[in-house]
Amino acid sequence: MSADDKATLVFAPFPFMSHLVSAVELAKLLTARDERLVVTILVMKLGMPAVEMAKISSYTKNPPNPRINFLHLQENESASTPPTTSKNQILQFMESQKGPARDAVAEMMKRQNGRLAGIVLDMFCTPMIDVANELSAPAFIFFPCGSASLGLMLHLQILHDNRGGDMEECEEVSIPTHVHPVPAKVWPGGHGQRDMFDKDAGILEFLRRYKESRGFVTNTFLEFESHAINSLSADEKLPPVYPVGPMIQGGGEEADEDKRKREEIIAWLDEQPHSSVVFLCFGTCGWFKGDQLKEISTALEQSGLRFLWSLRKPPPNETLGFPGEYENHEQVLPAGFLQRTMETGKVIGWAPQMAVLSHPAVGGFVSHCGWNSILESVWCGVPVAAWPLYAEQQSNAFLLVKEFEMAVEIKMDYMINSDVIVPARTIENAIRQVMDPENKIRPKVKELHDKTRTALVEGGSSYNFLGRLIENVMDDSS
């Protein structure tokens, strides 16, 4: 194959590990499907905890295949200067990266003497549409969440602008991508927060530019979100949507300590009966305060069920950041809890989530309803008890509980920074329901679990949408 037959796609993921890994999974799908495609993934440097930076650095050292490579952008001095506007720091950061990204991509393409097929932008990287325009390349939005969430956010942005920003009287709203009206308490940002509409948040500014793209790539599949996908596809005002999932994030390389922890956790699960363990895990940024930990502990103990609990330490000042590890769980749990439950439960810190969910001993999942976690639960056929914490997780929980009726609710409108305490009885009842082998949600999860594989194979819905995406890309670049 000659160099002229090659086409380069540039990916611009937001510099968080979860966003970077999602971008790599999409790149792997594309390059595996069409040998003409080469993917370069831009790695931006955003100030964050050293642990997260180390993970990104380690992850980007070894590209997954010869046609995927990482391009590290030089730090822009203006990115660290004090803000001069009220815009969100993320938006400012992305604006500061446009120049370095443009110059790096232009230099790369000149060096390769190739053709730029398009730029695939993370949902928070829409300022980079300007870079695509300058380089005469189509821009695609990679929305790593579901299609219903995409439809909800786009509709709320339009509604907000049409109402002149007055959203206070909207208690619920009918959304084309949803069967039922969506209450305000589960909109992104949560009840009483309305972070999505906060001028300082900048979210609306990202969304307003979505329609400038050539298409939306979503990490979902038609059999899971048929109503939302068909609704988006029928809207002539929107670019086409390409649901190409489920893209399940692999474990990747593990540090020696993480490997040791994983082996210990799996060894414990190996000793448990089939479908007997409820797994509690709340994502990359999930944590709870002391009073809430006591209620969870009481619920687990009173239920008598076997459990595996990933318990993380709140970040400094209890901000929405990256949790750490407790040196001793006894310091934050009720006195004697670990001793009384040592025969039935195990409290851990970091958890190898996919390895745990795929273990036959796990029968239920208490989850924050992050989209990756939802897809992993469906992939593994494990029913969910929904306890969202932040971002779009409340609307994800609404989707699972009310729209699909395939999850149990703990508290659908819970917010991580609220003073609300979910009582032990509520948690216990939900855990008992999700672990009940006769629960009506279990067959629905099993049916969907079977469809996750067929969507990806030749002739499946996601396989076909991926083919359409590649046709769009190659037609534009030829």
Side-chain angles (χ1 to χ4, degrees), residues 297-447:
S297 303
T298 301
L300 291 171
E301 186 171 358
Q302 291 182 347
S303 75
L305 293 166
R306 298 174 189 271
F307 66 87
L308 178 67
W309 181 6
S310 174
L311 174 57
R312 310 297 301 283
K313 183 179 181 180
N317 303 319
E318 296 184 348
T319 58
L320 185 59
F322 296 95
E325 302 292 329
Y326 285 110
E327 293 183 7
N328 184 355
H329 289 121
E330 289 184 340
Q331 295 176 348
V332 293
L333 295 174
F337 171 77
L338 293 175
Q339 290 72 31
R340 293 191 299 271
T341 59
M342 63 184 304
E343 298 298 324
T344 57
K346 185 175 182 63
V347 180
I348 58 176
W350 168 85
Q353 183 167 289
M354 191 60 187
V356 171
L357 287 173
S358 59
H359 197 284
V362 174
F365 182 24
V366 178
S367 172
H368 66 306
C369 295
W371 192 250
N372 285 329
S373 293
I374 289 173
L375 291 178
E376 289 174 8
S377 71
V378 170
W379 182 269
C380 297
V382 179
V384 166
W387 195 344
L389 303 178
Y390 52 88
E392 91 294 352
Q393 293 163 13
Q394 289 77 17
S395 60
N396 289 343
F398 176 83
L399 196 70
L400 292 184
V401 175
K402 298 297 184 182
E403 296 270 304
F404 299 160
E405 296 182 341
M406 55 174 288
V408 174
E409 178 184 0
I410 291 182
K411 185 166 178 57
M412 201 173 358
D413 59 343
Y414 184 86
M415 286 294 293
I416 195 170
N417 56 354
S418 72
D419 294 325
V420 173
I421 301 296
V422 181
R425 179 172 296 183
T426 298
I427 303 168
E428 180 187 352
N429 288 341
I431 290 174
R432 288 185 181 278
Q433 287 181 57
V434 82
M435 293 297 289
D436 182 358
E438 302 301 320
N439 194 306
K440 66 179 182 179
I441 68 174
R442 202 166 285 273
K444 294 183 178 182
V445 176
K446 175 63 169 64
E447 180 183 0

Side-chain angles (χ1 to χ4, degrees), residues 74-327:
Q74 295 295 320
E75 289 191 65
N76 189 339
E77 291 183 3
S78 65
S80 59
T81 58
T84 56
T85 72
S86 62
K87 292 181 181 178
N88 166 278
Q89 289 183 348
I90 294 176
L91 189 60
Q92 290 188 65
F93 173 77
M94 293 312 308
E95 290 285 346
S96 77
Q97 296 298 293
K98 292 194 302 186
R102 179 198 60 234
D103 295 344
V105 173
E107 175 62 28
M108 177 188 71
M109 298 310 301
K110 181 180 179 181
R111 198 168 55 245
Q112 294 177 354
N113 194 27
R115 53 196 173 104
L116 182 59
I119 299 183
V120 181
L121 304 174
D122 185 278
M123 60 188 292
F124 293 128
C125 296
T126 51
M128 291 282 184
I129 290 176
D130 295 335
V131 175
N133 292 338
E134 288 187 57
L135 298 174
S136 300
F140 296 85
I141 302 295
F142 177 38
F143 194 80
C145 307
S147 292
S149 180
L150 173 62
L152 173 63
M153 294 179 74
L154 286 171
H155 189 88
L156 289 177
Q157 175 258 310
I158 294 171
L159 185 63
H160 170 275
D161 290 354
N162 289 343
R163 294 174 61 95
D166 182 12
M167 300 293 288
E168 290 302 316
E169 295 182 4
C170 290
E171 292 303 318
E172 66 176 22
V173 63
S174 294
I175 307 286
T177 51
H178 289 66
V179 175
H180 301 99
V182 183
K185 66 181 182 179
V186 301
W187 294 352
H191 184 58
Q193 300 296 321
R194 305 289 174 88
D195 288 347
M196 178 178 167
F197 307 119
D198 187 339
K199 290 181 180 180
D200 290 341
I203 302 300
L204 294 174
E205 295 198 41
F206 291 122
L207 289 167
R208 289 187 185 108
R209 302 204 66 180
Y210 275 22
K211 291 180 183 179
E212 298 177 42
S213 71
R214 193 63 61 88
F216 301 115
V217 185
T218 57
N219 186 12
T220 187
F221 56 108
L222 185 62
E223 291 79 1
F224 187 23
E225 290 195 280
S226 57
H227 178 81
I229 292 167
N230 290 332
S231 171
L232 290 172
S233 299
D235 190 339
E236 296 180 353
K237 297 179 181 179
L238 293 177
V241 59
Y242 301 96
V244 299
M247 289 177 279
I248 304 299
Q249 297 186 2
E253 292 187 14
E254 288 181 331
D256 290 342
E257 179 63 12
D258 287 347
K259 183 178 180 181
R260 182 194 66 77
K261 291 177 181 178
R262 177 174 58 81
E263 291 173 347
E264 178 184 314
I265 291 165
I266 298 304
W268 183 83
L269 287 171
D270 287 342
E271 299 175 354
Q272 312 308 316
H274 186 274
S275 295
S276 66
V277 176
V278 59
F279 176 44
L280 297 86
C281 190
F282 299 93
T284 306
C285 299
W287 52 269
F288 291 102
K289 300 176 185 178
D291 288 344
Q292 188 62 77
L293 293 181
K294 293 177 182 178
E295 298 299 317
I296 297 172
S297 303
T298 301
L300 291 171
E301 186 171 358
Q302 291 182 347
S303 75
L305 293 166
R306 298 174 189 271
F307 66 87
L308 178 67
W309 181 6
S310 174
L311 174 57
R312 310 297 301 283
K313 183 179 181 180
N317 303 319
E318 296 184 348
T319 58
L320 185 59
F322 296 95
E325 302 292 329
Y326 285 110
E327 293 183 7

Side-chain angles (χ1 to χ4, degrees), residues 28 96 118 453:
K28 286 160 64 175
S96 77
R453 275 69 172 174

